[in-house]
Amino acid sequence: MLPRPQLQLQGDLQFGMVGVDSKPSKQLQLTNTGQLQAEFKLDWDKSLPLTIEPTAGTVQPGSTTTISAKLAAAEVGAITGELVITIAGRQEPYRQSISATVVQQSYDLTDTSNAAISELNFGSMYHGEAVTRTIAVVNNGPAEARYDLSYGSKADMAAIAATEGDGPSGDDQHSAFMRMARIRAKLREE
């Protein structure tokens, strides 16, 4: 038997659910377990919002080449396609399906009956009275959600944070919230 390249392809281009304007990436590994080098060329529908590198190359015997694919989806919808990997001297190319479902990232606040709310109203209260409301932050997309809790208007928070004068400054909402929480704790101690 004559020496020849023998390629193994590992990985996939199934991006799953991704948010609009996210830039997820995937990698494929092309390993040559044969005794001769393997020249390859990649082809796909260039209208897809997908960048793949390298688009051609050589895999030496016993080595691996990494193929990187980066998706840049700007619109909601389904993305489907096929990556064709042609190997010099091989009649049938390798085929790898490409797919992604692009969704709009959004968050909702809901009450205990799962009704959407835009503010948390405690109604009229007496001094010293404790009232509890339960809400949920619902993440309607694939990206991790980070949030800060604050009370009062942004102007109130900025004014209180400015009076303390220590800690990070600027428009960082987390820093402003932490400064405000420290001020409120000091006031309770007095």
Side-chain angles (χ1 to χ4, degrees), residues 17 45 54 80 86 110 120 153 171-172 178 189:
M17 188 181 300
D45 180 354
T80 58
T86 305
T110 62
L120 195 54
S153 68
D171 292 333
D172 179 11
M178 293 308 293
E189 291 172 2

Side-chain angles (χ1 to χ4, degrees), residues 70-136:
K70 184 181 245 184
L71 186 68
E75 296 178 6
V76 172
I79 296 173
T80 58
E82 184 176 66
L83 174 66
V84 178
I85 305 169
T86 305
I87 309 297
R90 180 181 161 99
Q91 290 182 342
E92 286 296 316
Y94 291 98
R95 298 182 183 278
Q96 185 71 252
S97 64
I98 302 166
S99 71
T101 302
V102 185
V103 298
Q104 185 67 46
Q105 183 75 41
S106 67
Y107 307 98
D108 291 323
L109 288 178
T110 62
D111 61 14
T112 54
S113 66
N114 290 328
I117 58 173
S118 60
E119 65 182 6
L120 195 54
N121 186 351
F122 286 88
S124 298
M125 296 174 55
Y126 293 104
H127 178 72
E129 180 181 7
V131 176
T132 301
R133 299 282 189 261
T134 302
I135 63 168

Side-chain angles (χ1 to χ4, degrees), residues 13 15 24-26 42 44-46 48-55 67-72:
L13 297 177
F15 289 90
S25 60
K26 291 277 219 167
L42 306 180
W44 69 98
D45 180 354
K46 303 299 190 285
L48 294 176
L50 187 67
T51 304
I52 300 177
E53 293 179 342
T55 58
I67 299 167
S68 298
K70 184 181 245 184
L71 186 68

Side-chain angles (χ1 to χ4, degrees), residues 151 160 163 180-190:
Y151 51 95
I160 291 172
T163 62
M180 187 172 168
R182 285 195 303 270
I183 290 169
R184 298 247 183 205
K186 286 179 189 176
L187 291 173
R188 279 194 293 265
E189 291 172 2
E190 295 175 354

